[in-house]
Amino acid sequence: MNYQAYAHIYDDEYRDYTEDIQFYVRWARRCAAPALELGCGTGRILLALAEAGCPVWGLELCEPMLQRAQEKLAKLPAHVAETVRLVQGDMRDFDLGQEFGLIYLPFREFMHLASEDDQLNCLDAIHRHLTPNGRLIINLYDMDLVTLSQRSESNVPLYRQHGGDYVDPRNGQKVFLSSASHYKPATQTLHEERFYDRVDEQGAVVERRMVTITQRWFFRWEMHHLLHRANFRVHELYGGYDRQPVGEMGSEMIFIARPANEKELQSEVEWLENKLARIRTSKKRS
Ligand SMILES: C[S@@+](CC[C@H](N)C(=O)[O-])C[C@H]1O[C@@H](n2cnc3c(N)ncnc32)[C@H](O)[C@@H]1O
């Protein structure tokens, strides 16, 4: 997504989206401090954690998004602000010189990683930064297959009105959201163009802005295997922030994973050694 162009409208669009915040606050309280948010954006969740007394670091690629977070951080009381560290960096390759009891990727951040290499590099970097008893939380969309197939049937994008219209607090003007999206099954990517139409008091459109977003789609067991391959184990899986079971179509997938322990890794090493031995034996025979 082009977050450079998005930074100035992000907080207006998601001002009322708070349903995930307490979920992460609860996990941050359960895990050893500090927590780390990858792709922390303008600090929507991260700053709420800090205000709830949870020390937290944020890593963010896009400078204007991080700048917004820094401006908001500067307005917090000093004793809260000093528990926060904001770092510009890439979640596919980072070295913060610090271990974390919780690393979380909320609001479908992992879906920005299109290639298998990017996904595995990110999971590897997370593994290096997580304490042995730490937790990794990854939130993904769980969109129903009917909607996905509607969006992939033709090259004509499906236009729909968002529920996210908002009022610009600076001038009271309404901003209407709509989008065109197209899902490509072959690459499991959904490409979306979002339009932000600012209207005046008479309802006339006075400005149209567009941002584009491409997200890599993940299915439940694909993610399960990916985590396993990166030496994590799925500890819990939820379909929403009230910890409801996964599978209620159109909702969320929230993976809670932990690093594999020594015994689990040892049994994988033995499995691979056996496999290698069999390959070597059959090579000798042929
Ligand atoms: C959907 S926004 C979410 C922001 C924030 N976590 C929230 O919940 O409001 C995704 C964020 O991930 C950031 N991002 C995307 N790719 C990234 C990468 N490779 N490394 C670090 N941040 C990245 C974007 O710049 C953007 O700020």
Side-chain angles (χ1 to χ4, degrees):
M1 180 165 196
N2 180 4
Y3 278 98
Q4 301 280 337
Y6 200 25
H8 70 289
I9 38 181
Y10 187 86
D11 280 341
D12 289 337
E13 182 176 351
Y14 292 110
R15 192 181 310 118
D16 297 330
Y17 187 80
T18 53
E19 64 190 65
D20 52 354
I21 290 176
Q22 282 312 310
F23 181 85
Y24 294 106
V25 169
R26 276 195 297 273
W27 273 99
R29 286 186 174 142
R30 277 173 69 170
C31 297
L36 168 65
E37 179 172 336
L38 298 181
C40 64
T42 62
R44 186 181 66 84
I45 299 174
L46 174 137
L47 296 177
L49 255 66
E51 286 184 292
C54 307
V56 59
W57 291 40
L59 185 87
E60 169 58 46
L61 186 62
C62 172
E63 211 273 327
M65 293 290 276
L66 196 62
Q67 179 72 35
R68 294 260 157 180
Q70 267 152 352
E71 287 162 12
K72 285 154 72 180
L73 180 64
K75 291 182 186 149
L76 293 183
H79 73 277
V80 176
E82 69 194 15
T83 66
V84 175
R85 288 275 309 265
L86 295 173
V87 180
Q88 189 171 11
D90 193 325
M91 66 169 109
R92 294 166 293 186
D93 180 21
F94 58 94
D95 181 2
L96 300 175
Q98 165 78 40
E99 282 199 333
F100 300 89
L102 171 68
I103 301 182
Y104 64 102
L105 290 83
F107 223 21
R108 304 102 196 199
E109 257 113 60
F110 198 72
M111 295 175 75
H112 289 301
L113 304 180
S115 74
E116 200 177 316
D117 278 352
D118 283 355
Q119 294 150 19
L120 287 171
N121 286 339
C122 176
L123 290 173
D124 191 43
I126 292 170
H127 210 287
R128 282 185 268 114
H129 285 79
L130 207 55
T131 58
N133 289 323
R135 292 289 179 267
L136 162 65
I137 305 183
I138 295 184
N139 164 234
L140 306 169
Y141 268 124
D142 187 18
M143 191 181 280
D144 64 283
L145 292 174
V146 175
T147 309
L148 271 187
S149 73
Q150 277 171 353
R151 293 186 189 188
S152 63
E153 266 165 15
S154 70
N155 283 325
V156 182
L158 183 82
Y159 280 83
R160 73 188 165 88
Q161 201 68 34
H162 272 274
D165 304 336
Y166 62 86
V167 174
D168 187 331
R170 287 166 289 274
N171 52 23
Q173 283 180 336
K174 278 191 178 163
V175 179
F176 289 108
L177 273 67
S178 58
S179 71
S181 57
H182 185 238
Y183 178 68
K184 281 190 189 162
T187 51
Q188 286 184 206
T189 48
L190 185 96
H191 181 75
E192 189 176 15
E193 289 168 350
R194 286 191 196 169
F195 301 97
Y196 296 79
D197 291 333
R198 184 179 292 278
V199 296
D200 63 16
E201 279 162 14
Q202 283 71 43
V205 176
V206 292
E207 178 195 74
R208 166 167 271 205
R209 285 176 184 257
M210 186 189 82
V211 295
T212 57
I213 178 167
T214 301
Q215 287 174 307
R216 167 70 156 74
W217 230 256
F218 291 91
F219 295 96
R220 175 183 177 173
W221 295 107
E222 172 188 9
M223 194 61 206
H224 205 98
H225 281 292
L226 192 63
L227 285 165
H228 197 104
R229 190 171 157 205
N231 296 322
F232 287 95
R233 293 294 179 272
V234 176
H235 183 65
E236 286 164 77
L237 173 61
Y238 301 123
Y241 300 106
D242 294 326
R243 310 204 303 171
Q244 56 267 51
V246 79
E248 288 164 25
M249 289 302 201
S251 55
E252 312 283 338
M253 279 195 289
I254 307 165
F255 285 85
I256 318 283
R258 58 165 178 82
N261 60 35
E262 203 181 321
K263 201 171 152 200
E264 289 160 340
L265 289 179
Q266 186 59 41
S267 85
E268 275 191 31
V269 169
E270 282 163 19
W271 185 83
L272 279 171
E273 280 172 352
N274 281 338
K275 204 171 169 67
L276 192 60
R278 282 179 58 199
I279 290 170
R280 283 181 179 148
T281 314
S282 68
K283 263 193 185 161
K284 270 188 207 153
R285 278 203 214 107
S286 58

